[in-house]
Every structure is written in C-alpha cells, then in structure tokens.
Amino acid sequence: MSKAIPALFLVFVAVVLSYAFAHRQGEPRPATALRIDSTMIMSAAAAGPARLAVGERGRIFRQAGDGKPWLPVRSPTESTLTRVRFLDDSTGLAVGHDQVILRTEDGGRSWVQVMSDPEAETPLFDVLMLDTGKAYAIGAYGLFLESADGGRTWTPRHILPEGEDRHLNAMARLTSGSLVIAGEAGTILRSTDAGATWSKVASAYEGSWFGVQPLADGQVVVYGMRGHLMRSDDDGAAFAEVALPVQTSLFGSALAADGRLLVTGQNGELLVSRDAGRTFTRVRVEGSPMLSAVLPLDGEAEAFGEGGLHMAATN
C-alpha cells in the first residue's frame, strides 16, 4: 500500500486518524496554561477513581475523581497521543504519532517516554496490556509491537498475511481472554492464544473499522465508517451487521457498569444500547462536535473530542 493517505480516507477518519498522521507542533505552553476544553482529545480511560484524557500535541489531562477539575499533566512529548489505557489503578500506557509510547506507574500523575521513532512515519493507534508483563501496540501499515516487560521495551512483529499492510486501528481483550483487532478495509483479526498467533475473521463490510468493544460472556462489537457496526456472540469468531440510526463514522466506545453500551462518532453522535448492542438509541451532543472517546457516569456520559469534554444524558 502506498504511504500517501487517500483524501477520502482522511475525510472519514475526520480528525481522529488525521490528527495521528499529521505532525502537529505549536508553540510550547506551560502545563498550567492548558485547558481540556481547548484541546482535541483523542482518547480517555479510567485509572481507579481517576480519569485520564490524551490528545493533540502530546497533551494529557487528569481528573482525580468524580466532580474534580480536569487538570493538565506534564507530558514528555509534543507528538499527538491517540490512545491511553490502564492495566490497573496505577499502571498505564499511552501511544501516538511518531511511534511514541509513554508509561506511568502512578495512575497518570507522571509519565516517561519509553519509545519514539519519528523517522518511521507510522503512528500508533492503540495499545493493550494483558498483564504486568505482556503488552501490544498497533498502528498504521500493519505496525504491530510487543513487549514482554510491561511496556518498558518493544519489538516489532508482522502478523498480517504476507503482502498486506492494512492499518490496524483498535484492539481489545474479550472476557474469554481472546483478542480482537479491527482495522482498515474490513480487517478483523482474532487470537485465542494471548496474541501468539492471529487469524482473519470474515467481515461483511469492507470499509475501515475504528473500534472494538468487549461486552459480557464473549460478546463483542466492532464499529467504524459510515455508521457500520457488527456484533459477535461467539467470542469474535463470526460477526453480523447491526442496523443503526446513523450513517456517520464511529470512533469511540465504553461499557458502563449498568450494562449501557456507549458509542461516539462524527457530528456529535452518541449511541446508547441497553441490550448488549442489539439495538441503539441516538443522543446528539450539543454543538455536534467530533467525538472520539466516551466514559460512562451514572445516567450520563463524558464524551471527548473536538472542544475537549462534553456532558450528555444517557438515561
């Protein structure tokens, strides 16, 4: 595949992946001058009672608990961060442009950069820690990195069939322990041995998948371009399309403790399912911002994207 990003691809990725590919560096600003509501947020995650959000120009914000203010955290990079995830209350990883990987051991209060390769021009889009040792990171042109020491050091491995270099956009661990990767051109990969081997899963849609969301009992959904979402009841072995009330691209998701499945996307779209992804209702976030991530609250949701943080009722 050519490394020139097609215009149509950038349109549908609509800021989410284009921010990852575009090298964005502005005038450095002190951490205390940064505000979440003036930042393009790409990803958010919980670390115990705390919440973390990352985005453009390496910016990181942390909320110590519900109702607390979102405060900037000093970041060791100015490269756009595309994903943040936590293994537990303390240990987390963030990845992004320039193959940057950051690591924290104190719940996101401080971060160290453990990897960067700007010459490669291949951004990372997602990261997953399986335990205190094994971790994986994925990205553009089939990029797959693995770590055996909790994300401190990384080595590349090719997992796509020979000759393929599809973008790998998202990955998740299901309740069974199986792993699922979603990517460009209908790519869905599945591993039942903790990532040692991968097999392709048939996709009824040949456009790009941008997200994977595990549900209960081996159920999982993948979602992406033009309002496409598929659901699996058999641990990701086979998927079936689900009809949605929107035709806009979908970029982020979360599963609430009460079973609500939340999916966000273009034009302020927030979809809510209360039946494990079989049906969805539509909520519009005021101002119709691009939404790339979501975190559930009691009867509400924190949606993240353009303009930082947006609150939405989901009950």
Side-chain angles (χ1 to χ4, degrees), residues 86-87 93 127-136 147 150 171-174 177-179 191 193-196 198:
F86 279 82
L87 175 66
L93 295 169
V127 64
L128 181 66
M129 299 184 74
L130 300 188
D131 51 41
T132 55
K134 187 173 294 185
Y136 298 118
S147 173
M171 69 187 308
R173 184 180 189 179
L174 310 191
S178 294
L179 307 180
S191 175
D193 55 10
W198 296 85

Side-chain angles (χ1 to χ4, degrees), residues 128 130 136 138 144 157 159-161 164 168 170-183 186-203 209 212 217-220 222 231-239:
L128 181 66
L130 300 188
Y136 298 118
I138 58 173
F144 184 94
R157 176 158 67 96
I159 64 169
L160 287 170
E164 289 192 15
L168 304 178
M171 69 187 308
R173 184 180 189 179
L174 310 191
T175 54
S176 65
S178 294
L179 307 180
V180 173
I181 290 176
T187 297
I188 301 176
L189 303 176
R190 178 175 179 254
S191 175
T192 58
D193 55 10
T197 61
W198 296 85
S199 59
K200 294 192 77 171
V201 178
S203 172
W209 299 113
V212 183
D217 303 321
Q219 300 169 330
V220 58
V222 297
R231 183 179 181 278
S232 172
D233 281 321
D234 58 3
D235 200 40
F239 286 83

Side-chain angles (χ1 to χ4, degrees), residues 13-21 40 42 82 125 251 290-292:
V13 172
V15 181
V16 175
L17 297 187
S18 63
Y19 263 75
F21 278 93
M40 174 66 195
M42 307 294 287
T82 56
F125 296 143
F251 299 123
M290 176 73 60
L291 299 175
S292 55

Side-chain angles (χ1 to χ4, degrees), residues 281-307:
T281 57
R282 181 184 184 191
V283 176
R284 290 294 295 275
V285 173
E286 184 177 355
S288 300
M290 176 73 60
L291 299 175
S292 55
V294 61
L295 292 176
L297 296 172
D298 185 15
E300 294 182 302
E302 291 179 323
F304 301 83
E306 287 182 306

Side-chain angles (χ1 to χ4, degrees), residues 40-117:
M40 174 66 195
I41 297 297
M42 307 294 287
S43 178
R51 294 179 171 219
L52 278 292
V54 302
E56 62 174 317
R57 298 172 182 160
R59 293 172 185 172
I60 304 171
F61 297 88
R62 186 176 188 273
Q63 184 188 45
D66 287 348
K68 302 290 186 179
W70 283 89
L71 300 177
V73 175
R74 186 173 298 278
S75 175
T77 184
E78 290 186 5
S79 298
T80 289
L81 298 173
T82 56
R83 188 79 76 187
V84 60
R85 292 192 188 273
F86 279 82
L87 175 66
D88 50 38
D89 292 5
S90 301
T91 308
L93 295 169
V95 300
H97 186 73
D98 295 334
Q99 287 191 33
V100 162
I101 302 179
L102 309 183
R103 191 174 187 276
T104 180
E105 294 182 347
D106 58 9
R109 294 177 179 85
S110 64
W111 296 81
V112 294
Q113 182 171 295
V114 297
M115 180 174 169
S116 175
D117 187 3

Side-chain angles (χ1 to χ4, degrees), residues 12 205 207-210 222-230 240-251 263-267 269 271 280:
F12 281 105
Y205 178 57
S208 290
W209 299 113
F210 295 140
V222 297
Y223 51 87
M225 275 187 170
R226 297 177 175 171
H228 283 274
L229 182 145
M230 295 200 307
E241 288 250 30
V242 175
L244 296 183
V246 300
Q247 293 183 328
T248 52
S249 294
L250 304 171
F251 299 123
V263 182
T264 59
Q266 286 178 297
N267 302 329
E269 298 289 2
L271 303 180
F280 287 83

